[in-house]
């Protein structure tokens, strides 16, 4: 899952560019007097951005989560005197430097960012200065596996969507990794009568709470920027898509937004036991649970000489002492125990987002899907995924790709590459689109759900680098089109050819128009200009899995289809795949790689089914020998 949710930030950096080394000078825009606005905390001034927009960058929506506020729920920001310049993005949240966040060569594998990072950015059409009717607000939750990324990196895209579709766009930072999600009993407070901390502080879901706090700020302040506080749409991709679903589940977010869009997301959470317990406890915790990380810190600084000593030290200390110890550690100390792989963009393998019973219900994602009445809020929803989700991850995976001359990636075995991508992507789309849509439309009176599949794969192709086969319609490649950009190329990498520009421009127009119309009305309908194919809602009660497909005209174009999947059809597609017929090893390997210990749903792997799969079963192929996707 961490790889699944990481890809969007890599794509974002490739298509819009991310800030790199400190030596690159970025001109600071001049504040413009006609952008002065008054928020609940004080006056700010922004600048004139491209696409006929006003921009306000680096606005604090909460106090800096440092000192006693590290591992605590966000507090409202402090007021200020005078007029605060809001002309450049502020600190990104602490994360390991890697490909996903545009780290320089010197920053790779090292901690970057600051704990003082709870800022957001706003773009509005310049016309809002003279128009009295408030505009819909679209709040973007960035992806990055909940351990990397930032809202500020989307500036080139946000202003396009705001200016061309006449909406107010907000992008946010939220705490990541160990500072965003960390559930240690010492931090929960030993004395239940202690009023210094709240139930929210005890939850461990600090990144989730940051998103909720940003929505409070938007509700209370967005009118000053021309936005309608009664018409707020959440949208996010990858980790941002998963976080959008968590807002539907959280009672604390109820009423703070009115529509939601999840791109390549779904429902996912960990139990408190997984997040907190030792790995040898019952029930067992994650290998990087809060207790395990604390043990690693004690060993690293010499407080304990071995694991048993560390556990004894913790068992014999008051909770307040343990909390003080943890808060006394530097960010570098904490992240040193969680070293991310720079090749994976600094991703950290941690339990993230907890079913704590306060911020999020204790019900599992499967239970929430089986009974959507358990969700705290039901709103109109767009949910979807890309046809070739898994290809992005295989592209960076040495099991599937090698390097020509140590530089250019090449597919090792094209048949295996395409087979694994097909069935892995089918499974991801099932959990991002089909299962939620079917569950959330079980009653005819429910808010509508609109499903999509992104198929556009007309990427640059050469015999050295066939991107159409290596990436196709991969995870994250729809992001630029959603914002209305025909896939901006960076100086470092180009996906596209000049020949595909007309198709890309048409796709960008269509997707951004649908997304904006959904923000305006609660239905994508025929887009803002009513010139696109009618996007029909998914209708489970009528037995129609209506899905909008986004593709180039020579591949069918933008069109409606009945493209619904079930778990049975996903597995049947593997069993009848021509590439595994008569190849028992390939069948077993694909089943294990796609379903074994799948982080979307651990029940996907059926031991009895695996034992009898195909001709003779898979007893000769232990599933643990195949690393899951």
């Amino acid at each position: 899952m961490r790889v699944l949710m990481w890809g969007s930030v890599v794509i974002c950096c490739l298509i819009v560019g991310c800030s790199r080394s400190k030596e690159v000078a970025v001109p600071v825009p001049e504040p413009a007097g006609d952008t002065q606005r008054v928020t609940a905390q004080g006056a700010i001034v922004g600048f004139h951005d491209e696409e006929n927009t006003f921009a306000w960058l680096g606005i604090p929506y909460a106090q800096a989560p440092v000192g006693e506020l590290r591992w605590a729920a966000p507090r409202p920001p402090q007021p200020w005197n005078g007029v605060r310049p809001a002309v450049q993005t502020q600190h990104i949240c602490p994360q390991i430097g890697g490909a996903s966040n545009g780290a320089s060569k010197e920053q790779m594998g090292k901690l970057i960012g600051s704990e003082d990072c709870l800022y957001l950015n706003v773009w509005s059409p310049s016309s809002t200065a003279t128009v009295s009717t408030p505009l819909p607000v679209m709040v973007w939750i960035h992806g990055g596996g909940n351990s990397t990324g930032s809202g500020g990196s989307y500036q080139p895209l946000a202003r396009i969507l705001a200016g061309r579709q006449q909406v107010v766009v907000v992008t946010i930072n939220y705490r990541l990794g160990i500072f965003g999600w960390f559930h240690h009993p010492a931090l929960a407070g030993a004395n239940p009568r202690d009023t210094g901390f709240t139930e929210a502080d005890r939850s461990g879901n600090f990144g989730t709470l940051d998103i909720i706090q940003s929505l409070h700020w938007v509700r209370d302040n967005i009118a000053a920027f021309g936005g309608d506080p009664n018409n707020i749409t959440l949208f996010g991709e990858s980790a941002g898509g998963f976080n959008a679903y968590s807002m539907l589940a959280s009672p604390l977010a109820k009423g703070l937004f009115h529509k939601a869009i999840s791109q390549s997301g779904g429902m996912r959470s960990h139990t408190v036991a997984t997040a907190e317990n030792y790995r040898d406890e019952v029930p067992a915790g994650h290998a990087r649970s809060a207790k395990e990380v604390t043990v690693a810190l004690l060993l690293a600084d010499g407080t304990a000489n071995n694991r048993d000593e560390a556990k004894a030290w913790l068992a014999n200390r008051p909770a307040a002492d343990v909390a003080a110890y943890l808060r006394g550690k530097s960010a570098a100390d904490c992240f040193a125990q969680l070293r991310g792989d720079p090749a994976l963009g600094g991703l950290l393998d941690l339990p993230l987002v907890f079913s704590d019973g306060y911020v999020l219900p204790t019900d599992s994602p499967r239970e929430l899907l089986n009974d959507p009445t358990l969700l705290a809020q039901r709103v109109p929803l767009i949910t979807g995924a890309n046809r070739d989700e898994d290809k992005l991850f295989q592209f960076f995976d040495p099991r599937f790709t090698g390097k020509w001359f140590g530089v250019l990636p090449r597919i090792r075995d094209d048949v295996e590459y395409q087979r694994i991508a097909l069935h892995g992507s089918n499974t991801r789309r099932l959990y991002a689109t089909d299962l939620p849509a079917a569950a959330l439309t079980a009653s005819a009176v429910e808010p509508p759900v609109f499903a999509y599949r992104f198929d556009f794969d007309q990427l640059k192709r050469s015999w050295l680098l066939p991107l159409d086969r290596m990436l196709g319609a991969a995870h994250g490649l729809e992001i630029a089109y959603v914002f209305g950009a025909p896939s901006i190329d960076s100086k470092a990498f180009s996906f596209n050819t000049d020949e595909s520009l007309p198709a890309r421009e048409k796709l960008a127009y269509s997707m951004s128009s649908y997304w904006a119309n959904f923000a305006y009305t609660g239905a994508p309908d025929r887009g803002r200009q009513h010139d696109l194919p009618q996007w029909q809602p998914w209708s489970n009660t009528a037995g129609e899995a209506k899905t909008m497909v986004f593709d180039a005209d020579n591949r069918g174009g933008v069109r409606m289809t009945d493209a619904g999947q079930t778990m049975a059809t996903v597995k049947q597609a593997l069993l009848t795949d021509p590439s595994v017929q008569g190849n028992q090893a390939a069948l077993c390997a694909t089943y294990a790689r796609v379903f074994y210990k799948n982080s979307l749903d651990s029940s996907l792997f059926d031991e009895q089914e695996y034992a009898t799969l195909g001709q003779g079963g898979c007893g000769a192929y232990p599933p643990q020998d195949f690393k899951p996707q």
Side-chain angles (χ1 to χ4, degrees):
M1 176 58 67
R2 66 192 182 103
V3 176
L4 166 64
M5 297 195 292
W6 154 73
S8 62
V9 179
V10 173
I11 292 297
C12 175
C13 287
L14 290 174
I15 64 177
V16 304
C18 290
S19 57
R20 299 191 67 85
S21 65
K22 296 180 179 179
E23 291 76 19
V24 178
V26 178
V28 177
E30 286 293 325
D34 58 350
T35 66
Q36 185 168 320
R37 302 290 185 271
V38 178
T39 73
Q41 287 73 44
I44 63 172
V45 63
F47 65 98
H48 293 183
D49 207 350
E50 298 176 22
E51 299 291 339
N52 295 313
T53 61
F54 292 159
W56 299 266
L57 310 181
I59 306 172
Y61 69 83
Q63 294 179 40
V66 298
E68 288 297 311
L69 294 183
R70 178 195 277 181
W71 294 312
R75 269 53 174 178
Q78 297 284 2
W80 57 80
N81 296 318
V83 179
R84 180 185 179 115
V87 295
Q88 56 185 338
T89 58
Q90 295 298 315
H91 310 294
I92 66 174
C93 292
Q95 53 196 274
I96 299 297
S100 65
N101 46 39
S104 67
K105 182 179 180 180
E106 295 75 21
Q107 294 169 328
M108 285 287 181
K110 298 178 181 178
L111 182 67
I112 59 176
S114 167
E115 288 186 70
D116 177 10
C117 65
L118 299 186
Y119 298 91
L120 55 75
N121 315 288
V122 180
W123 288 264
S124 74
S126 55
S127 60
T128 56
T130 57
V131 176
S132 59
T133 304
L135 297 177
V137 181
M138 300 184 72
V139 180
W140 175 252
I141 309 173
H142 72 79
N146 280 340
S147 58
T148 188
S150 68
S153 63
Y154 290 84
Q155 179 178 359
L157 296 178
R159 61 195 179 202
I160 292 175
L161 182 62
R164 298 183 188 179
Q165 296 296 341
Q166 297 295 288
V167 293
V168 176
V169 177
V170 180
T171 69
I172 64 172
N173 288 353
Y174 54 94
R175 278 174 284 183
L176 303 168
I178 191 173
F179 292 145
W181 290 271
F182 192 71
H183 198 290
H184 196 287
L187 298 171
N191 183 356
R193 293 172 294 178
D194 178 9
T195 59
F197 284 88
T198 66
E199 285 301 312
D201 295 313
R202 296 182 176 96
S203 75
N205 282 310
F206 309 116
T208 305
L209 288 164
D210 291 344
I211 297 170
I212 294 171
Q213 173 61 22
S214 76
L215 293 175
H216 278 281
W217 187 97
V218 170
R219 181 196 62 187
D220 296 341
N221 293 282
I222 206 63
F225 302 85
D228 185 351
N230 297 309
N231 189 5
I232 295 170
T233 299
L234 290 181
F235 69 131
E237 192 270 349
S238 199
F242 282 89
N243 292 334
Y245 268 104
S246 72
M247 295 297 104
L248 295 174
S250 176
L252 303 185
K254 187 174 183 179
L256 294 176
F257 64 100
H258 311 95
K259 309 171 190 73
I261 302 172
S262 174
Q263 301 165 209
S264 302
M267 292 186 183
R268 182 177 185 248
S269 63
H270 287 92
T271 66
V272 169
T274 300
E276 179 180 301
N277 288 358
Y278 293 115
R279 63 177 185 267
D280 50 1
E281 239 179 299
V282 178
H286 190 277
R288 285 294 179 267
S289 69
K291 287 182 179 179
E292 291 292 346
V293 168
T294 308
V295 165
L297 287 167
L298 291 166
L299 295 174
D301 65 15
T303 301
N305 294 314
N306 54 57
R307 178 179 171 80
D308 289 339
E309 283 187 16
K311 292 175 71 173
W313 188 94
L314 291 167
N316 294 319
R317 292 296 185 282
D321 289 356
V322 177
Y325 171 81
L326 287 168
R327 290 198 172 99
K329 286 297 179 182
S330 69
D333 289 335
C334 295
F335 274 81
Q337 313 312 316
L338 310 167
R339 184 64 60 201
D341 182 352
L344 292 180
L347 258 290
L348 304 174
D349 186 12
L350 293 168
L352 301 167
V353 186
F354 317 134
S355 302
D356 66 295
Y358 182 74
V359 176
L360 293 170
T362 55
D363 309 280
S364 69
R366 177 175 283 273
E367 290 169 330
L368 291 172
L369 284 176
N370 288 338
D371 184 4
T373 62
L374 298 172
L375 294 172
Q377 181 169 224
R378 297 292 305 280
V379 298
L381 173 70
I382 291 177
T383 189
N386 298 358
R387 187 194 64 206
D388 303 321
E389 287 280 337
D390 272 21
K391 283 190 175 180
L392 178 69
F393 319 118
Q394 293 177 195
F395 184 79
F396 290 99
D397 190 332
R399 290 178 300 162
F400 298 106
T401 58
K403 294 288 182 65
W404 288 106
F405 312 111
V407 177
L408 290 175
R410 61 177 180 83
I411 297 174
R412 296 185 185 279
D413 182 331
D414 188 69
V415 173
E416 179 190 44
Y417 191 92
Q418 304 304 329
R419 180 177 62 245
I420 297 292
L422 170 64
H423 301 293
S425 300
N426 283 347
T427 304
R428 295 197 197 279
R429 288 202 322 276
L430 177 70
Y431 279 84
T433 309
D434 304 279
L435 291 182
L440 296 173
T441 56
S443 168
V445 299
E446 300 291 356
V449 175
F450 301 89
Y452 77 87
R453 191 183 75 216
F454 180 82
D455 281 15
F456 186 79
D457 61 0
Q458 295 188 5
L459 306 182
K460 181 179 291 185
R461 176 180 178 81
S462 70
W463 70 273
L464 279 175
L465 195 62
L467 290 177
D468 57 340
R469 291 193 64 77
M470 300 183 83
L471 289 173
H475 183 78
L477 285 179
E478 88 291 352
I479 294 174
Y481 300 105
V482 162
F483 281 88
S487 194
I488 305 171
D489 284 330
S490 72
K491 293 180 180 178
F493 195 87
S494 175
F495 292 102
N496 304 302
T497 64
D498 292 340
E499 290 75 16
S500 68
L501 181 59
R504 291 186 279 117
E505 289 179 332
K506 186 173 183 178
L507 190 63
Y509 172 80
S510 299
M511 295 191 77
S512 62
S513 182
Y514 279 129
W515 262 239
N517 201 63
F518 179 76
Y520 268 88
T521 69
D525 196 29
R526 298 186 62 212
R528 288 298 301 140
Q529 301 304 318
H530 309 289
D531 57 351
L532 299 171
Q534 180 75 39
W535 189 339
Q536 302 172 44
W538 180 292
S539 178
N540 189 49
T541 54
E544 297 175 341
K546 294 294 186 183
T547 301
M548 178 62 78
V549 176
F550 292 103
D551 206 346
D553 286 345
N554 64 353
R555 290 280 303 274
V558 176
R559 65 196 188 276
M560 292 300 303
T561 183
D562 292 318
Q565 302 179 115
T566 65
M567 181 55 63
T569 62
V570 166
K571 288 193 172 181
Q572 184 62 27
L574 170 57
L575 292 173
T576 57
D577 185 334
S579 73
V580 300
Q581 303 308 308
N583 189 339
Q584 187 67 16
L587 174 63
C588 295
T590 305
Y591 187 101
R593 280 182 171 141
V594 172
F595 301 130
Y596 184 66
K597 291 187 177 179
N598 189 294
S599 57
L600 292 165
D601 188 345
S602 60
S603 68
L604 282 174
F605 184 82
D606 185 320
E607 290 187 7
Q608 183 176 357
E609 184 176 52
Y610 188 69
T612 59
L613 199 66
Q615 300 297 316
C618 297
Y621 307 96
Q624 59 269 26
D625 290 351
F626 303 101
K627 182 180 177 183
Q629 286 295 95

